[in-house]
Amino acid sequence: SAVISQKPSRDICQRGTSLTIQCQVDSQVTMMFWYRQQPGQSLTLIATANQGSEATYESGFVIDKFPISRPNLTFSTLTVSNMSPEDSSIYLCSSARLAGLQGEQFFGPGTRLTVL
Amino acid sequence: GQQLNQSPQSMFIQEGEDVSMNCTSSSIFNTWLWYKQDPGEGPVLLIALYKAGELTSNGRLTAQFGITRKDSFLNISASIPSDVGIYFCAGRPGEETSGSRLTFGEGTQLTVNP
């Protein structure tokens, strides 16, 4: 399994500001994803981070609010823009070595975001 | 989008008891994954299932991929206090021909009383 680290592990931010979360994988992986987990809830996929091209966003998530970068096979960032209290969540990065049916996903420890 | 119905939502058991939880879907899934999430941590992959009817064990954990491809269950035998956490099922819908998008169940909160 891949070892995934995220920075920061937690942050408290003011309304209207932006936060960039970093995700680093210890080996080259094909797929990287960003999820949101609101308090007491399940995981919701925000987008698939594509190397060298624009991320693929799920319904309800847009690039202006959640810009994503993936400059190489081991690193990605998610920015939460113009934050509001509703953005308070855990943001999780995940990766899979293979695309398709055999691509087991592994998760980072998450970034716990509180917006005041 | 696809939805997974996971049950039960929560369980309170005594140490040593066996536990069973399951996920069902109205449509076919090609892959079933079971994760455990401890407080303040990301989900950890427990078991992955790829074939209908497949039964896989990982220590005290056993999971099965339903023969209809619309369900999966996870059993934990002889529970111990460190089994406490939230268990999530996740599946890859049958129409997914590329990528690795997963749909997650709502989770089962397990509490084990010593």
Side-chain angles (χ1 to χ4, degrees):
Chain A
S1 64
V3 176
I4 303 171
S5 60
Q6 286 184 235
K7 289 195 292 187
S9 59
R10 59 178 61 233
D11 208 342
I12 300 173
C13 300
Q14 295 297 321
R15 181 195 300 260
T17 62
S18 298
L19 175 71
T20 295
I21 302 167
Q22 299 179 3
C23 176
Q24 179 74 54
V25 187
D26 69 339
S27 56
Q28 292 187 347
V29 291
T30 304
M31 312 293 290
M32 292 183 76
F33 307 89
W34 287 97
Y35 288 81
R36 182 173 73 183
Q37 186 177 27
Q38 295 182 307
Q41 302 295 315
S42 185
L43 284 75
T44 301
L45 181 64
I46 298 172
T48 301
N50 301 309
Q51 187 207 355
S53 64
E54 191 172 288
T56 305
Y57 289 85
E58 297 299 306
S59 175
F61 298 96
V62 295
I63 188 171
D64 290 346
K65 176 67 176 177
F66 297 102
I68 288 170
S69 77
R70 189 178 172 193
N72 57 51
L73 290 175
T74 63
F75 185 79
S76 178
T77 66
L78 168 75
T79 299
V80 186
S81 302
N82 187 25
M83 289 183 284
S84 67
E86 292 71 33
D87 293 321
S88 297
S89 279
I90 299 171
Y91 291 87
L92 293 153
C93 172
S94 79
S95 71
R97 290 191 190 281
L98 302 173
L101 302 183
Q102 299 297 317
E104 296 172 356
Q105 283 189 28
F106 300 94
F107 285 83
T111 295
R112 187 178 297 270
L113 172 62
T114 302
V115 184
L116 304 177
Chain B
Q2 300 290 338
Q3 287 191 325
L4 291 181
N5 298 310
Q6 185 171 350
S7 65
Q9 193 172 23
S10 61
M11 301 183 73
F12 297 84
I13 62 171
Q14 293 297 125
E15 182 177 358
E17 291 183 353
D18 297 343
V19 171
S20 183
M21 59 193 79
N22 69 85
C23 272
T24 60
S25 171
S26 58
S27 55
I28 290 172
F29 276 64
N30 281 328
T31 303
W32 287 97
L33 306 173
W34 284 92
Y35 290 88
K36 182 191 177 203
Q37 186 176 29
D38 292 328
E41 302 290 332
V44 174
L45 181 64
L46 299 174
I47 292 179
L49 301 161
Y50 299 106
K51 297 179 183 177
E54 180 180 358
L55 183 71
T56 297
S57 294
N58 178 8
R60 295 179 294 107
L61 278 61
T62 302
Q64 185 158 29
F65 192 141
I67 201 74
T68 65
R69 297 169 64 192
K70 293 182 179 181
D71 64 320
S72 176
F73 72 74
L74 174 70
N75 286 345
I76 304 173
S77 62
S79 59
I80 59 178
S82 62
D83 290 334
V84 166
I86 303 176
Y87 292 79
F88 290 100
C89 64
R92 190 167 290 117
E95 68 271 17
E96 283 290 320
T97 56
S98 64
S100 301
R101 296 168 66 250
L102 293 178
T103 298
F104 278 79
E106 293 304 309
T108 296
Q109 172 71 62
L110 177 63
T111 302
V112 180
N113 296 315

